Amino acid sequence: MNLQKIENEALHLPREERAQLIQRLVLSLESPSEEELRSDWLLEARRRADELDSGSVQAVSGEEVIRKAKALIK
């Protein structure tokens, strides 16, 4: 299916469905690629490791995090 045919079909959709399609298309342009996400998370992991190594932050155990989270939702 070529772009012209897709456009013609889309223009015949009801108004609400066209709005949903527009929203999905715009979101697809704004979403980072898998490679960008992978790169961003790698940078974040390195930053956090550096903070731990330098002592500027203290590690918290998973059990402690869960305990605090449960206390917050009670």
Side-chain angles (χ1 to χ4, degrees):
M1 192 179 272
N2 66 30
L3 181 59
Q4 186 62 48
K5 183 164 175 69
I6 293 170
E7 182 181 341
N8 289 338
E9 292 290 325
L11 290 172
H12 287 91
L13 292 171
R15 180 182 175 95
E16 186 175 316
E17 289 181 14
R18 288 194 321 267
Q20 289 174 358
L21 177 59
I22 289 168
Q23 183 179 25
R24 291 172 72 180
L25 289 171
V26 168
L27 287 174
S28 74
L29 294 174
E30 295 174 352
S31 299
S33 69
E34 266 190 57
E35 184 57 38
E36 290 170 317
L37 287 173
R38 201 174 299 121
S39 176
D40 289 348
W41 277 112
L42 182 57
L43 289 172
E44 180 65 13
R46 286 181 179 151
R47 183 188 67 78
R48 291 181 183 195
D50 289 343
E51 288 178 339
L52 287 169
D53 291 344
S54 73
S56 65
V57 298
Q58 296 294 321
V60 178
S61 72
E63 292 84 12
E64 179 69 10
V65 170
I66 291 171
R67 186 187 65 71
K68 287 181 178 181
K70 285 180 179 179
L72 287 172
I73 59 174
K74 286 185 179 179

